[in-house]
Amino acid sequence: MTDDPHLTRRLALSSQTIVHGGGLTAAMRHYGGTHADWLDVSTGLNPCPPELPAIPRDAWLRLPDESADIEARHAARDLYGTRTILPLPVAGTQAAIQCLPGILPLGARAAILSPTYGEYRRVFEAGGHPIDLVEDLDALGPAHRLVVVVNPNNPTGRLVRRDVLLGLAEKLAASDGYLVVDEAFADVAPDESVADAVEDHSRLIVLRSLGKVFGFAGVRLGFVVAAKPIQARLQAMLGPWSVSGPALAVGAALMRGDLDTIRATIARRAQGLDMALSAAKVTVLGGTPLFRLVDVAHARLVHERMAQAHILTRFFDAHPTWLRLGLTPSAQADLRLSTALCDALAPGGWAS
């Protein structure tokens, strides 16, 4: 056992595992096939990404310098409308989530609007903070020093109105509390974003992700929109050069690209997914333009039967009738998904 609280937290984090979407290599190991054989709809990513921007050679040869950082931050500011706030680049929003417990006094209580992404509970508990999982914002109390709202939510698609979030931010700030709004899926439905309001709410922290709407999750780039003192604390925890030069260059170019065309493509693919699900006669519980959450009996068994057909979905141990499906890249893939789902749900199948 160590007396270093930071080392203790890192060890605690490394000993916990959260199941995410993806994991195609593990699926292939268990069910066979090659990458080309599989249709992966286990994540909420744009399956039709734009062309990858050219990366300047210098981005590979040098440590990321101030100009690369500033260019990406200015592009994020213009995209998110954050006015005088220059968003802080991070190596994916997961990097920021890992640091969030460090802005609270040890033992301070936090609340997470649930059900949602499991990493928040993991990192706050590992950081020594008691956690309340609340299903409604009315359940929040004066003891909560930080509140997390994923908006739009993963996996349910729940959307909290902008005015409600800003009112909550004011209420928390009055008692020196923080509101964290994870807007990883907000680029496809930006009207309720609160990123542009951070300038007027000094204890509001907004997380944005580049991987979802652009489809380049492997770039590992996200942004923290927060007041300068909060950004400085997070930057100190992240250390120097936390985002690679190539990631900054790609991000800056993507954010200055044609997002309207990308959104239109996603909307068409979402229509294709909805038609596939309708043909399979499943109940859609919610979602965002990038994924749908459906209700099926014995979801894990359906997931396994789909995997036998080399289609990867996302099930949830805590919710045995939930199955999440992301977008496919084509109408042909929609048909394959629908056919496999019908087979998985057919009488005499594992789900019967």
Side-chain angles (χ1 to χ4, degrees):
M1 183 64 80
T2 175
D3 293 328
D4 182 344
H6 299 291
L7 178 57
T8 299
R9 187 171 76 86
R10 289 197 297 272
L11 291 171
L13 286 170
S14 66
S15 68
Q16 300 175 41
T17 300
I18 297 290
V19 176
H20 303 284
L24 187 55
T25 299
M28 288 190 298
R29 188 163 53 243
H30 190 75
Y31 296 100
T34 66
H35 278 88
D37 298 322
W38 280 81
L39 176 62
D40 185 359
V41 293
S42 67
T43 60
L45 304 176
N46 178 1
C48 303
E51 289 295 319
L52 188 65
I55 301 175
R57 188 169 185 268
D58 280 356
W60 297 103
L61 302 178
R62 301 177 180 177
L63 289 170
D65 63 12
E66 182 181 1
S67 65
D69 182 79
I70 290 297
E71 179 66 20
R73 296 181 78 162
H74 279 221
R77 177 199 62 189
D78 295 344
L79 179 60
Y80 304 143
T82 58
R83 296 180 283 171
T84 64
I85 300 290
L86 289 178
L88 174 68
V90 292
T93 50
Q94 179 62 39
I97 293 170
Q98 300 273 128
C99 294
L100 287 175
I103 70 174
L104 286 176
L106 190 63
R109 182 172 291 274
I112 302 169
L113 187 59
S114 299
T116 195
Y117 186 48
E119 288 289 343
Y120 283 103
R121 178 178 184 177
R122 183 181 75 93
V123 299
F124 278 100
E125 288 183 341
H129 300 285
I131 288 292
D132 292 320
L133 304 180
V134 300
E135 296 184 2
D136 192 291
L137 294 178
D138 290 338
L140 298 175
H144 295 126
R145 295 290 304 279
L146 182 145
V147 175
V148 176
V149 178
V150 180
N151 202 56
N153 187 45
N154 175 21
T156 65
R158 176 194 58 226
L159 190 63
V160 180
R161 294 195 324 271
R162 171 187 168 93
D163 62 309
V164 172
L165 290 173
L166 294 182
L168 177 59
E170 291 182 4
K171 184 176 180 180
L172 287 165
S175 57
D176 294 328
Y178 299 89
L179 174 62
V180 176
V181 183
D182 186 327
E183 294 186 346
F185 289 96
D187 283 313
V188 287
D191 291 346
E192 297 297 333
S193 171
V194 294
D196 65 335
V198 169
E199 185 179 64
D200 303 318
H201 295 81
S202 63
R203 300 176 80 87
L204 172 61
I205 303 169
V206 179
L207 307 184
R208 298 295 290 253
S209 171
L210 223 69
K212 305 294 191 299
V213 70
F214 293 104
F216 292 117
V219 172
R220 304 310 304 136
L221 181 63
F223 290 89
V224 179
V225 185
K228 287 183 178 179
I230 296 174
Q231 287 195 27
R233 293 177 67 180
L234 293 175
Q235 182 67 79
M237 287 184 267
L238 291 166
W241 311 301
S242 60
V243 179
S244 74
L248 292 171
V250 168
L254 286 173
M255 288 184 289
R256 296 200 184 283
D258 185 1
L259 192 54
D260 287 339
T261 296
I262 293 172
R263 288 181 179 131
T265 299
I266 290 171
R268 288 194 297 272
R269 291 285 72 243
Q271 289 178 344
L273 176 60
D274 286 338
M275 291 175 65
L277 297 176
S278 177
K281 295 182 171 59
V282 296
T283 300
V284 176
L285 298 175
T288 75
L290 284 166
F291 64 83
R292 295 290 187 259
L293 181 69
V294 302
D295 181 79
V296 295
H298 311 296
R300 181 165 187 157
L301 297 181
V302 175
H303 163 87
E304 292 177 356
R305 194 171 175 98
M306 296 282 281
Q308 290 178 344
H310 293 163
I311 298 176
L312 188 60
T313 61
R314 174 75 161 91
F315 69 91
F316 301 85
D317 280 329
H319 301 277
T321 66
W322 285 11
L323 198 68
R324 191 188 67 195
L325 302 100
L327 308 183
T328 83
S330 66
Q332 183 179 8
D334 289 336
L335 179 60
R336 177 184 172 188
L337 175 66
S338 181
T339 300
L341 190 55
C342 287
D343 289 344
L345 295 169
W350 284 16
S352 62

